[in-house]
Amino acid sequence: MNSTDAGASFSLRGIRNRPKHPNRLIDVILDRNQNNTSKVHQINQPIKQKPILLSRNANVTVTSSARGNLGPPTVLNQIKSGKDWLKDRWQAASDMHGSAIPGSHWVMLDFSAMFHNSDGAIRITKVILDWETAYSSDYRIESRMDAPTTTGGENDDWCLLFDAGDEPFGQRNAYPHASVEQHGQSPGVKERLPLHVIHKIYWMEGVRSDIYDEKCLSMRYLRIFIRKSARGWGVSLWQVDVYGYTTLLSDAIEEQ
């Protein structure tokens, strides 16, 4: 039976219309029913995107709980990462001896300005934390869609994505996957200690976890909540890189 036979039913796919939103694809489907009348249906489908570096964007702002004695938190997402040991890293310390500012600390990335109040969000696939030798192995990576009203508490309505304190870093069997790399020599100490301690955390589409809710991977705000330093000095970061892609806020809502 071919498509001209009476009573034939078929769908014609492949007609693509340009969507209003750059991250949506419109499938136009022509259905011919048994009465030989046609109906056109439009189905919105998310376009699968290749993850890109999202955080080094002029519209992404970085704030922190402490100014510290070195660079401002804005160095954490400067377009070209710096190498100056004094100017190009953020440190929650009060002096050049690295004396820790008491308490827990946080760094927050605000992606909301990327969307100019439109129906948009980011969906992350990877976070890279480039610590100095004054690193932390006891911190949380958290997300939220709406602007936070408070920023200081550990559990103040943020959605947990990763808890580095669950297992020794580099020995994790749990998901999300995480790895650690070290290189260089810190000029601030005589003993052999690395200049960079790099933590890489990965999330995969469709993988279920008891640690986090997958819908939390879509966000406008990301926070690194640092409980304590691994070495006793004030924690210090060179760079925070967030990879992923942009998506529609309605997509994130549908996942709930």
Side-chain angles (χ1 to χ4, degrees), residues 186-245:
S186 175
V189 292
K190 293 181 180 179
E191 60 265 42
R192 182 69 179 171
L193 290 175
L195 184 62
H196 296 269
V197 179
I198 301 173
H199 290 179
K200 298 180 179 180
I201 303 96
Y202 307 84
W203 294 266
M204 297 174 64
E205 292 284 354
V207 177
R208 300 298 178 183
S209 171
D210 295 332
I211 298 175
Y212 71 91
D213 192 331
E214 188 179 4
K215 71 176 183 294
C216 297
L217 292 175
S218 296
M219 70 193 72
R220 287 185 175 180
Y221 300 86
L222 181 141
R223 183 174 76 166
I224 300 101
F225 189 91
I226 306 163
R227 295 191 187 99
K228 62 181 180 180
S229 170
R231 301 194 190 275
W233 297 310
V235 289
S236 182
L237 276 163
W238 291 94
Q239 197 87 22
V240 176
D241 284 342
V242 178
Y243 289 81
Y245 51 88

Side-chain angles (χ1 to χ4, degrees), residues 19 23 38-39 60 66 70 73 76 86 130 153 155 177 183-184 223 229 232 247:
N23 299 322
S38 299
K39 295 182 179 180
V60 178
L70 298 180
L76 297 178
L86 298 179
D130 187 352
N155 297 309
H177 304 300
H183 62 83
R223 183 174 76 166
S229 170
T247 185

